[in-house]
Amino acid sequence: MNESTPTPEPGPRQGMDYSEIADVHEVHAAVQREKREPRVGREPLSIWLIAVYGLAVFFGGAYLGRYSGNFSGDALDPYGGEPQVMKKAAGPQGAQQAAELSPRDRGKKIFAANCQTCHQATGLGVAGQYPPLAGSEFTNGGSRRMGMIVLKGLQGPVKVKGQQYGSAVMQPWDKTLTDQKIADVMTYERSDWGNSASPVTAEQITALRKELANHPESFTEHDILAAPEEDIPGGAPAGGAGPKPGAAAKPAEPPKPQG
């Protein structure tokens, strides 16, 4: 009995077979379609990481723009610094005499450090956001209304020079600046950019601070307009011109003897 030996099926070929008929271009295209493995050091960044970096740069720039004081040298001292000494020649001998800064000059430094970012160096404010100080009825009016705003702050809509500011918010300065610094900055604002209101003294701010001691919240426009349009008692007469910057008050002449 003869049994036929089964013919073995051909297995997978190994090595190089020069008789293959597959198109080399198709095989190469298939390889190209495969997703390439990322190389070391060239891995793609996460979209969340890019978003975090972008937000950090944005808010960092916004913070610098808000609190940089326009990168002015006067803005480096948040409280206006101690009164500086200015030297000037006092005669042919070359002797020098020290003179303190005037209240207006001190107020300019305080303004640059605390108020200039919102109201701008020109006093024109930012349209639609921060009201102007130049030509403002609150700045040129009686010092009482202006002092109320500076000491306790202002919130809510307010109309200045006929223009409505819907969300004007000003922080109170009663816990940040002393009475002298508030008086100096108000004197500067009331005498610059074409304004010509009376100066303000530290004694006036001290009296107004005591008067408003029981008012913990910021004022609204209605509160300010309800206050009398007058200067705080104890200062220069309304409409009186303050001393020029750097000018000292002249001493009173002694009475003439009567014969």
Side-chain angles (χ1 to χ4, degrees):
M1 182 174 174
N2 297 327
E3 294 182 0
S4 60
T5 303
T7 303
E9 297 180 0
R13 294 190 298 264
Q14 297 181 356
M16 184 177 296
D17 188 355
Y18 293 97
S19 63
E20 290 184 358
I21 60 175
D23 190 350
V24 177
H25 294 286
E26 294 181 0
V27 176
H28 186 266
V31 174
Q32 289 291 99
R33 287 193 297 269
E34 293 292 331
K35 184 177 181 181
R36 296 182 178 180
E37 293 294 332
R39 298 180 181 179
V40 177
R42 296 185 178 180
E43 298 85 354
L45 289 176
S46 170
I47 188 65
W48 294 107
L49 188 59
I50 297 176
V52 170
Y53 285 159
L55 290 175
V57 172
F58 174 78
F59 285 108
Y63 182 87
L64 287 177
R66 174 68 175 81
Y67 297 103
S68 65
N70 291 338
F71 296 99
S72 170
D74 294 336
L76 296 179
D77 187 351
Y79 300 107
E82 295 296 329
Q84 297 182 358
V85 175
M86 300 177 62
K87 297 180 179 180
K88 59 181 180 179
Q93 302 295 333
Q96 296 179 340
Q97 180 180 1
E100 291 186 352
L101 291 177
S102 67
R104 183 180 184 276
D105 291 335
R106 294 197 305 264
K108 184 176 182 179
K109 291 172 62 65
I110 300 170
F111 176 85
N114 300 279
C115 317
Q116 183 170 297
T117 303
C118 296
H119 296 290
Q120 303 300 304
T122 59
L124 299 178
V126 179
Q129 297 183 17
Y130 303 108
L133 299 177
S136 168
E137 53 268 36
F138 295 107
T139 308
N140 286 284
S143 59
R144 173 178 292 277
R145 290 182 175 180
M146 185 179 181
M148 292 170 61
I149 296 175
V150 176
L151 277 172
K152 292 299 182 178
L154 180 66
Q155 62 181 353
V158 62
K159 180 180 291 186
V160 179
K161 299 177 64 175
Q163 183 176 353
Q164 188 76 20
Y165 294 85
S167 58
V169 177
M170 176 177 172
Q171 72 178 66
W173 292 101
D174 58 341
K175 294 180 175 59
T176 307
L177 300 179
T178 63
D179 294 345
Q180 184 63 63
K181 289 182 172 65
I182 292 177
D184 290 344
V185 74
M186 287 180 60
T187 298
Y188 166 71
E189 293 171 351
R190 291 164 64 84
S191 60
D192 201 3
W193 314 302
N195 299 334
S196 57
S198 59
V200 182
T201 64
E203 291 74 17
Q204 288 177 291
I205 300 301
T206 300
L208 185 61
R209 183 190 293 270
K210 293 179 180 179
E211 182 180 334
L212 303 178
N214 296 326
H215 195 283
E217 300 178 353
S218 297
F219 289 108
T220 64
E221 181 186 33
H222 176 75
D223 300 328
I224 299 300
L225 295 180
E229 179 65 41
E230 63 182 10
D231 282 338
I232 307 170
K244 296 182 179 180
K250 295 182 179 180
E253 296 181 359
K256 298 180 179 179
Q258 299 179 357

